[in-house]
Amino acid sequence: MTTTTNKPLMPETRLDRSDERVSHQDSISGLLRAYINRIKTGDLGMIPVVLGLIIISIVFTVLNPIYLAPNNLVNMLFDCATVGFISLGIVCVLLLGEIDLSVGSMSGLASAIIGVLWVNQGWPVIGAIAVALAVGAAVGLLYAQLYSRLGMPSFVATLAGLLALLGMQLYILGPSGSINLPYVSPLVRFGQVLVMPGWLAHLFALLPGVLMLVQGLRTRARRTQANLSCEPLSSLWARSIFLTAVFEFMVFYLNIGRGVPWVFGLFILVVVVLNYALKRTKWGRSMFAVGGNREAARRSGINVRRIYISAFMICSVLATTGGILAASRLASASQQAGTGDVNLNAIAAAVIGGTSLFGGRGSAYSALLGIIVIQCISNGLTLLNLPSSLRYMITGGVLAIAVIVDSMARRSRVSHGRA
């Protein structure tokens, strides 16, 4: 007769979620190692932009101490918003690996429409703005149809559009070539002088840190429930507090001068909304998929044609918005609006901020960071009374460096299998 002995069962091993989790990434040192590893494999993030801003600020402050004066920074923020909207549109088409060379002319045409309808024809300003935005949407739709249905490269289509829109701008402005906008109008005051109350600016400065903390806690809770590694609470709190402290100090310093411009606040709001759409919606994921591999996106069921239509229309509408704000900033609509370095600065801002020219990588924050870099350079060179020739050459050099960094980072990601 066979007898069996019952061995005592070993107690089930349980992971206490309050303790350090299995993965080494749960510790701060593990997070640092992972972050350094991403940098080595070409995922540079915002590092080049932040380093560039630090170097630019140090150099121009040494050359001219007025550079970091509060009122000078406020003027820079007023100027950032106009070209910043145009750069946001460029981000959308660059994500698809395409380009729009007519954004400068589109902004100039928008300012001309505002001047003619509002001042010369006596339309309400809201009606003139609506017509300008409708024209911008129609131009973007035309580009998308030329690309998706006729196979015309976006470079050629938008280059032709640049000339056509510039011709329309000159035509509707007529022999005078310039229309002055009423200085006391709300639109002009919005683009030139209106700033937020101090308490409201400080309240808005709290939001990024609070949102980062709330989102981080939600993400941490989901990963903990799934028994996955997650960011330590200490690291999450530290990042949120640091971000809040930086923004609150910036607002405090700007309030020493005139304060935070409303037009820059509007720009930030559009950046946040567009970035949410790109990162958190089906449309945004489709944008990245088409930009990464168009054929694979089509085979997965994505309507590629609609994605191109939406990107080009958003680009043109944002260029129109930038033109309207530029007219309000200058209190005039002229033949020079949208010309000069507008195209260069808009495209350069998107690329310098981190949007890849090869498609599939970038964010709306690229336009924000990039336009701040561009405007910092432009403002610093203006304070030094350097000629336009040097300003163009220096800005072009910065753009070339940004493209080189992007190409090298992309090559590194490919070699490490992270492209």
Side-chain angles (χ1 to χ4, degrees):
M1 182 176 178
T2 304
T3 60
T4 59
T5 58
N6 293 328
K7 297 181 178 180
L9 296 176
M10 297 294 294
E12 183 181 357
T13 303
R14 298 180 60 190
L15 290 177
D16 187 0
R17 289 172 180 171
S18 64
D19 296 333
E20 186 180 42
R21 304 188 67 83
V22 176
S23 174
H24 72 278
Q25 291 186 358
D26 293 331
S27 63
I28 296 180
S29 60
L31 291 174
L32 289 176
R33 286 194 296 270
Y35 185 67
I36 294 173
N37 183 60
R38 288 199 302 269
I39 294 175
K40 290 180 179 179
T41 57
D43 190 2
L44 300 179
M46 299 181 181
I47 293 178
V49 180
V50 174
L51 290 179
L53 282 175
I54 293 174
I55 295 172
I56 291 169
S57 299
I58 293 174
V59 170
F60 283 124
T61 302
V62 171
L63 297 176
N64 192 333
I66 300 177
Y67 179 76
L68 285 182
N71 279 328
N72 186 55
L73 296 181
V74 172
N75 289 331
M76 280 197 285
L77 295 185
F78 271 107
D79 294 332
C80 281
T82 56
V83 183
F85 273 97
I86 304 175
S87 184
L88 269 178
I90 291 294
V91 168
C92 291
V93 293
L94 285 183
L95 285 176
L96 301 179
E98 304 298 332
I99 192 64
D100 188 344
L101 299 177
S102 68
V103 287
S105 296
M106 186 68 249
S107 67
L109 177 61
S111 67
I113 292 174
I114 293 295
V116 170
L117 295 182
W118 181 27
V119 178
N120 290 0
Q121 302 297 326
W123 283 40
V125 64
I126 298 298
I129 292 175
V131 170
L133 293 175
V135 171
V139 170
L141 177 61
L142 176 61
Y143 290 153
Q145 297 297 334
L146 291 175
Y147 177 82
S148 59
R149 293 187 180 275
L150 301 181
M152 180 182 291
S154 60
F155 181 92
V156 178
T158 57
L159 181 61
L162 182 153
L163 300 175
L165 296 175
L166 178 58
M168 293 176 62
Q169 176 185 352
L170 299 178
Y171 177 78
I172 67 174
L173 284 174
S176 64
S178 179
I179 300 174
N180 294 325
L181 306 183
Y183 181 76
V184 296
S185 64
L187 178 62
V188 173
R189 289 179 56 80
F190 181 76
Q192 288 189 347
V193 297
L194 291 184
V195 296
M196 300 180 188
W199 64 269
L200 184 60
H202 279 290
L203 180 61
F204 285 152
L206 285 174
L207 293 180
V210 173
L211 292 177
M212 174 184 288
L213 180 61
V214 172
Q215 183 179 351
L217 290 175
R218 288 179 178 177
T219 302
R220 194 175 188 277
R222 289 195 302 266
R223 294 182 65 85
T224 301
Q225 187 176 6
N227 201 27
L228 298 173
S229 61
C230 56
E231 180 181 6
L233 277 175
S234 57
S235 173
L236 178 59
W237 276 98
R239 290 194 300 117
S240 302
I241 293 173
F242 175 76
L243 186 66
T244 301
V246 169
F247 285 152
E248 289 292 346
F249 175 77
M250 292 170 61
V251 170
F252 166 78
Y253 191 70
L254 292 172
N255 283 336
I256 296 176
R258 293 166 58 190
V260 181
W262 271 110
V263 65
F264 188 75
L266 176 63
F267 174 50
I268 295 293
L269 175 63
V270 176
V271 168
V272 172
V273 172
L274 182 58
N275 193 75
Y276 179 85
L278 289 173
K279 301 293 186 179
R280 301 285 182 175
T281 66
K282 180 181 178 181
W283 170 79
R285 291 189 291 270
S286 298
M287 287 279 289
F288 284 100
V290 173
N293 190 319
R294 177 181 177 180
E295 182 60 23
R298 185 188 66 81
R299 294 189 179 189
S300 66
I302 296 175
N303 191 325
V304 175
R305 180 174 297 173
R306 289 184 181 178
I307 294 299
Y308 277 100
I309 290 175
S310 64
F312 278 104
M313 289 184 69
I314 291 174
C315 181
S316 291
V317 168
L318 288 174
T320 302
T321 306
I324 295 171
L325 294 177
S328 70
R329 176 69 173 148
L330 300 174
S332 69
S334 66
Q335 294 178 348
Q336 285 72 39
T339 59
D341 58 354
V342 174
N343 266 351
L344 168 66
N345 288 344
I347 298 173
V351 177
I352 291 172
T355 301
S356 176
L357 288 168
F358 304 99
R361 293 184 67 88
S363 69
Y365 293 115
S366 301
L368 172 61
L369 296 172
I371 198 58
I372 290 177
V373 172
I374 290 293
Q375 197 56 47
C376 285
I377 295 173
S378 177
N379 182 270
L381 296 177
T382 300
L383 291 177
L384 296 178
N385 293 321
L386 294 181
S388 298
S389 57
L390 289 178
R391 293 174 61 180
Y392 284 130
M393 286 188 286
I394 293 174
T395 306
V398 173
L399 175 60
I401 293 173
V403 174
I404 292 172
V405 171
D406 177 47
S407 300
M408 294 177 64
R410 182 173 183 269
R411 188 176 303 174
S412 177
R413 291 193 299 269
V414 170
S415 63
H416 289 85
R418 298 174 63 96

